[in-house]
Amino acid sequence: MKSHATSRFIPVIRAIFIRMLLISCVLLLGAAPMAAQTADVTGFWVLNVPTGDGNFTKTFFDLQQSGEKVTGAAWFNYRKSPISDGSFIGGLLHLTVSLSPVDPRRQALYDGALQGDKIRMAVHFPGRDVAVGFAERTTQAAVVPPPPLPVPALHDVPDNGLALTPPMGWNSWNKFHRNIDDVTVRGIADAMVASGMRDVGYTYINIDDTWEGPRDAQGNITGNLKFPNMKGLADYVHSKGLKIGIYSSPGPQTCAGYEGSYGHEDQDAKTYAAWGFDYLKYDWCSAGRIYKESDMQAVYQKMGDALLASGRPMVFSLCQYGRGDVWKWGAKVGGNLWRTTGDINDHWQRMAEIGFSQFLIASYTRAGHWNDPDMLEIGNGGMTADEYRTHMSLWSLLAAPLLAGNDLRSMSEETKSILMNTEVIAIDQDADAQPVKKISEQGPLTVAARPLMHQTWAVGLFNRGEETAKMSVTWKDLGLHGKLQVRDLWAHKELGRVADQFSADVPPHGVVLITVKH
Ligand code: GLA
């Protein structure tokens, strides 16, 4: 076994090694000519790094050189980041770009060699493979976001009548991020059927960011090399008895830097309809650098109207991280669901922070219009089975969309038992769409309950603490009395008729989820 001290140094040694490799890489690939000794890199540059699917990630630089020192800023997706360290020595450019004002360790490294009037650059982003591209000179205009488009006057978009219960399905982002393609999506659709998920209600196969390709001469969006036939893919998913979703942004660029719908809103809605899509997730991203926050509702309304005008029923999923109290106006712009928070990840802390912060706004959900605390992480490996059962129970009590975010082609039996617990899904999908209420909270112990159809209550006893805890709920807390029939939905067991209250030992980070009825 490695000692603690040795393993602490491994990341540092690895970083130094990668750095040396980068520098020798750019040096070998293009040794700086003599002219580079006298060159000056002052000015605006655009670095194009191929993404492997026909697109390029574009990073803009505004560089000022003084002697060997280089200062300035970098822009990605119109977001400015300062250059914290820079030099240009003998034709070799080195830039360190600070990615976070609060975390100095979050840095991107750029190592370049001047080749003619271009700079060949290797890019090292934390946690990503080294990528190589060419930077060329550009103008200041290229780093400035385009102007805001005129926004429509506010009105209420007519209800599309969809998503009468919270949408259920799968989304590519949590597990696959950028590594998603046509073949994988087809495989996921197959697995949704083969695993039995379709039969318990999972319906939507949603492609997230990085499917987008260039626009054609008429401005029509196309899929990129990873998605060569969007209509063919939609037909395939439909042939499995499933529905299919797509992703875009009201900005010129999506969050991953791909083509957004800015200035093409109606046209894109028509394209999605012609391809046969059934669902759009519309992610704010670069729109935040263009529009005023106060125009957000109108910007979303524009797409809500465009989807209706396309003539194809499409679920409209708003993704703007809960800004501007979206739960108060999401339904008015035609939204069927709206994200209420920033991004989830596959860690207990983040999942719990999001899930347990949702009770206060739970009353804004109603049939056809849902709060969306983000997609599920169940089965992605970062949490224990107890933590994933808490995730599933909490999302179901919250009437949240159940969008699996794992690889359905390789699920363990345990993951299947959590995602396909039909008794828990029934809470999520309850047709009465009554909001959950927090019944009690004592330190890390939370009891939450939701009235269901047929005078039944669902009650979750959640223990966020580190030790097993005895927890209780009284019938009085629920406005009930007498002897009530209790069923444990994870043990799949009737617990008989119980008087006055129910108590259970709840494991750390775990839940006991019951239904209670006369
Ligand atoms: C944002 C969204 C995520 C995902 C990514 C894709 O971060 O909140 O859910 O769609 O963009 O780039």
Side-chain angles (χ1 to χ4, degrees):
M1 258 182 75
K2 284 176 216 131
S3 78
H4 243 65
T6 320
S7 45
R8 266 183 48 212
F9 284 115
I10 287 176
V12 179
I13 294 165
R14 195 189 305 136
I16 294 170
F17 178 73
I18 289 173
R19 196 64 199 279
M20 284 167 62
L21 199 71
L22 281 176
I23 294 169
S24 41
C25 197
V26 277
L27 278 173
L28 281 174
L29 288 168
M34 283 311 284
Q37 310 288 338
T38 53
D40 187 310
V41 291
T42 297
F44 289 92
W45 296 82
V46 57
L47 168 64
N48 291 295
V49 175
T51 49
D53 54 24
N55 287 297
F56 292 88
T57 301
K58 288 182 182 299
T59 309
F60 296 91
F61 297 96
D62 174 12
L63 304 180
Q64 289 95 43
Q65 187 178 337
S66 165
E68 291 181 339
K69 196 169 166 55
V70 177
T71 53
W75 281 261
F76 174 71
N77 229 337
Y78 309 118
R79 192 193 293 275
K80 188 178 179 183
S81 304
I83 291 172
S84 53
D85 183 34
S87 63
F88 186 60
I89 304 171
L92 296 179
L93 178 68
H94 148 71
L95 302 172
T96 302
V97 173
S98 162
L99 299 174
S100 159
V102 285
D103 183 357
R105 288 166 307 173
R106 287 201 24 86
Q107 297 180 331
L109 306 177
Y110 297 84
D111 282 295
L114 197 65
Q115 288 188 359
D117 54 1
K118 294 190 177 172
I119 303 175
R120 188 182 167 89
M121 278 212 212
V123 187
H124 186 220
F125 261 84
R128 287 207 214 145
D129 289 345
V130 174
V132 177
F134 278 98
E136 57 194 29
R137 286 196 182 269
T138 185
T139 59
Q140 182 169 19
V143 300
V144 181
L149 299 169
V151 292
L154 291 180
H155 66 96
D156 286 359
V157 174
D159 205 312
N160 62 14
L162 300 172
L164 294 179
T165 60
M168 291 177 66
W170 171 89
N171 174 292
S172 57
W173 188 254
N174 282 358
K175 169 73 186 176
F176 294 95
H177 294 99
R178 296 158 184 260
N179 302 318
I180 188 68
D181 54 31
D182 178 288
V183 173
T184 308
V185 173
R186 285 173 197 245
I188 295 287
D190 294 347
M192 188 174 270
V193 177
S195 63
M197 281 180 74
R198 180 189 65 182
D199 296 337
V200 299
Y202 292 88
T203 305
Y204 290 95
I205 298 284
N206 292 347
I207 306 166
D208 209 279
D209 207 349
T210 80
W211 66 268
E212 308 87 343
R215 293 188 179 276
D216 69 13
Q218 286 73 46
N220 297 309
I221 187 78
T222 63
N224 62 39
L225 298 179
K226 296 187 301 173
F227 288 92
N229 182 357
M230 295 299 276
K231 168 114 181 57
L233 180 55
D235 289 346
Y236 183 81
V237 171
H238 289 147
S239 78
K240 299 273 152 183
L242 298 167
K243 293 186 181 340
I244 185 161
I246 201 162
Y247 167 98
S248 191
S249 168
Q253 288 173 20
T254 64
C255 296
Y258 284 61
E259 181 75 19
S261 292
Y262 170 86
H264 295 273
E265 294 82 357
D266 289 317
Q267 193 176 13
D268 284 358
K270 287 196 184 103
T271 302
Y272 307 148
W275 285 339
F277 277 79
D278 309 293
Y279 185 119
L280 171 68
K281 172 174 168 183
Y282 204 42
D283 195 349
W284 190 233
C285 305
S286 65
R289 258 79 74 195
I290 293 175
Y291 295 105
K292 287 187 292 209
E293 194 91 355
S294 53
D295 283 339
M296 192 184 274
Q297 182 173 342
V299 171
Y300 273 93
Q301 177 190 296
K302 192 173 181 181
M303 186 49 96
D305 280 332
L307 291 177
L308 271 193
S310 79
R312 185 174 174 88
M314 276 185 263
V315 169
F316 188 25
S317 156
L318 277 51
C319 177
Q320 39 78 287
Y321 337 114
R323 297 168 86 116
D325 291 352
V326 62
W327 39 87
K328 295 185 179 157
W329 53 264
K332 290 181 197 285
V333 302
N336 298 107
L337 59 157
W338 43 82
R339 277 274 296 278
T340 53
T341 71
D343 289 11
I344 195 168
N345 60 40
D346 191 20
H347 293 101
W348 158 255
Q349 221 55 44
R350 181 65 181 149
M351 182 279 290
E353 176 190 15
I354 289 180
F356 289 100
S357 69
Q358 300 293 298
F359 295 112
L360 275 180
I361 56 169
S363 60
Y364 288 95
T365 58
R366 60 191 159 90
H369 308 282
W370 309 99
N371 286 332
D372 172 9
D374 211 354
M375 302 160 303
L376 301 173
E377 291 283 4
I378 295 160
N380 279 334
M383 292 185 239
T384 65
D386 271 331
E387 291 169 344
Y388 284 141
R389 278 189 281 271
T390 294
H391 191 2
M392 184 77 183
S393 306
L394 194 46
W395 262 237
S396 292
L397 282 168
L398 290 167
L402 296 179
L403 296 170
N406 59 319
D407 188 344
L408 307 188
R409 299 167 305 175
S410 54
M411 284 187 281
S412 68
E413 288 308 311
E414 189 161 69
T415 296
K416 286 187 200 167
S417 75
I418 298 173
L419 283 172
M420 290 195 271
N421 184 327
T422 51
E423 301 190 65
V424 182
I425 292 172
I427 298 176
D428 183 75
Q429 297 288 302
D430 190 84
D432 272 2
Q434 295 280 338
V436 67
K437 287 183 195 135
K438 198 195 283 182
I439 301 292
S440 69
E441 186 162 58
Q442 280 182 318
L445 308 179
T446 303
V447 177
R450 179 174 168 197
L452 306 176
M453 292 186 304
H454 312 305
Q455 279 96 50
T456 301
W457 283 79
V459 184
L461 301 106
F462 293 96
N463 175 9
R464 297 170 75 176
E466 305 305 322
E467 308 288 336
T468 297
K470 178 143 229 114
M471 295 184 65
S472 305
V473 58
T474 67
W475 298 164
K476 211 170 143 220
D477 290 340
L478 304 176
L480 304 171
H481 52 84
K483 278 195 162 183
L484 301 177
Q485 184 64 36
V486 177
R487 182 171 173 82
D488 183 325
L489 304 190
W490 287 111
H492 301 289
K493 251 198 197 150
E494 291 297 338
L495 302 181
R497 297 184 72 75
V498 180
D500 304 327
Q501 65 162 27
F502 170 78
S503 300
D505 287 331
V506 186
H509 296 191
V511 60
V512 169
L513 184 64
I514 56 170
T515 49
V516 176
K517 62 179 173 196
H518 274 294

